[in-house]
Amino acid sequence: MALNPSDLIRPEILSLKAYHVADASGMVKLDAMENPYPLPADLRDLAAGLAHQTPLNRYPDPQAAQLRRAIRQHMAVPDGAQVLFGNGSDEIIQLIAMALARPGATLLAPEPSFAMYRMIATFCGLRYVGVPLKENFSLDPDEMVLRIEQYEPAVVFIAYPNNPTGTLFDLEAMMRVVNAAPGLVVVDEAYHAFAGSSFMGELPRHRNLLVMRTLSKLGLAGLRLGFVAGAPQWLGEIEKLRLPYNINSLTQAIATRLIDNVGRLNEQAAAIVTARTQLARALVDLPDMRIWQSHANFILFRVPNGPRTFERLKRRGVLIKNLHGAHPMLDNCLRVTVGTPDENVAFLQALRDSLA
Ligand SMILES: *Cc1c(COP(=O)(O)O)cnc(C)c1O
């Protein structure tokens, strides 16, 4: 007799909800922390030429040697640190979790933070422990150290700056966590381009520290490329789990040359930071509004009725992210990605109308 999925699929998977990506066709799309600017025309021509030359009948370089050189050169990876690539940094989180998933192993992260930490812990059979941030969304180092001593996590993930709060955690609080953790500490620097602060330079001093980056928020979300840097003793083991061709030939070729031109992407990031400041000022002026200072390319804010405002914005053609219900500390919170100046004006107008 044939069995049903519910007989065979792990119960923790059956009880998950599939990750929902909202349909944004025809909308002002400010929900996913994408760079709103297209690649400059000359770089698009460069990418087109590379696509033309790439031999698609051949498998990609499993070591991604050219890409590795470009990353080491332009991303300040310290000598002695190893680099591992992922199909987006999401895949790297998964590789790390898979490698550490011994029976009873724990993945610990502050909360609210990136939803994938909990989801991937569940996929891989790790126990997940979330440690609440303080009321102002700063890191609570006493509570973190207490929980680290209690659960002895195999890995601690900290997004720096944090998503969805935009907070850049205090350096001293971060170092207390790094020094207290018995296992790996992964500092997830997905928003590095907007923050100007990094743990990359700390790698030589902390053998259990890994620093993770992605090209997604820098304007290349469609390429799917993330990397993590850290001690070869760790990354050599995690590398064994990486599928040999996880970074496709087009991504390797195009990312290599675009990283050689990363200054151009950083110019766009600087424009987004300027727009973020303007958007934050406009938001602060709205009635009954609470906003949190952001060091990323989005802003978290709270309105009297989050779900209602979200739906009204949607009806006006503006898609942002509704975080109400995602975590008790995010009641009535919404997150808007910083767009082009025109998109931000359209969002603000729609928001004023939606709050009325
Ligand atoms: C967006 C994001 C990522 C994932 O980025 P990829 O597109 O998978 O590289 C990782 N961490 C945080 C905190 C993010 O916000």
Side-chain angles (χ1 to χ4, degrees), residues 97-270:
M98 280 197 295
L100 297 171
R102 292 173 160 223
T106 295
L107 183 157
L108 183 145
E111 274 190 354
S113 186
F114 190 42
M116 278 293 159
Y117 303 148
R118 176 198 283 268
M119 288 185 67
I120 289 173
T122 307
F123 300 163
C124 297
L126 286 145
R127 172 165 63 180
Y128 172 81
V129 173
V131 180
L133 295 173
K134 290 186 183 173
E135 196 274 335
N136 63 359
F137 293 139
S138 64
L139 196 65
D140 188 338
D142 293 336
E143 194 64 18
M144 286 292 285
V145 169
L146 196 72
R147 297 302 165 208
I148 285 169
E149 284 168 358
Q150 180 182 355
Y151 292 100
E152 298 182 344
V155 59
V156 177
F157 276 91
I158 305 183
Y160 179 87
N162 189 38
N163 171 15
T165 61
T167 335
L168 191 69
F169 297 135
D170 176 65
L171 212 57
E172 204 174 313
M174 291 285 289
M175 290 319 298
R176 279 189 63 196
V177 171
V178 170
N179 291 320
L184 272 179
V185 177
V186 181
V187 178
D188 179 350
E189 298 188 350
Y191 300 96
H192 170 255
F194 315 99
S197 178
S198 173
F199 277 77
M200 196 66 91
E202 291 295 320
L203 286 178
R205 280 184 288 284
H206 302 278
R207 69 186 167 92
N208 287 3
L209 178 67
L210 299 180
V211 173
M212 189 165 71
R213 299 264 183 93
T214 174
L215 299 191
S216 295
K217 312 306 167 23
L218 198 55
L220 301 171
L223 277 186
R224 306 305 299 133
L225 184 72
F227 74 94
V228 63
Q233 289 85 345
W234 282 108
L235 293 185
E237 298 302 322
I238 295 162
E239 178 73 30
K240 296 175 186 171
L241 283 167
R242 186 182 64 81
L243 299 178
Y245 305 118
N246 67 329
I247 311 301
N248 73 73
S249 306
L250 292 173
T251 294
Q252 289 193 30
I254 294 169
T256 300
R257 296 296 299 279
L258 293 182
I259 289 163
D260 285 337
N261 290 280
V262 72
R264 305 284 300 284
L265 299 174
N266 283 331
E267 283 169 18
Q268 293 184 337

Side-chain angles (χ1 to χ4, degrees), residues 61-93:
D61 171 5
Q63 288 309 314
Q66 299 290 336
L67 181 60
R68 199 172 295 277
R69 173 201 56 75
I71 292 275
R72 298 198 75 92
Q73 186 178 340
H74 295 289
M75 302 280 172
V77 177
D79 293 340
Q82 188 167 324
V83 171
L84 177 145
F85 291 111
N87 190 310
S89 46
D90 284 353
E91 191 188 39
I92 296 172
I93 302 170

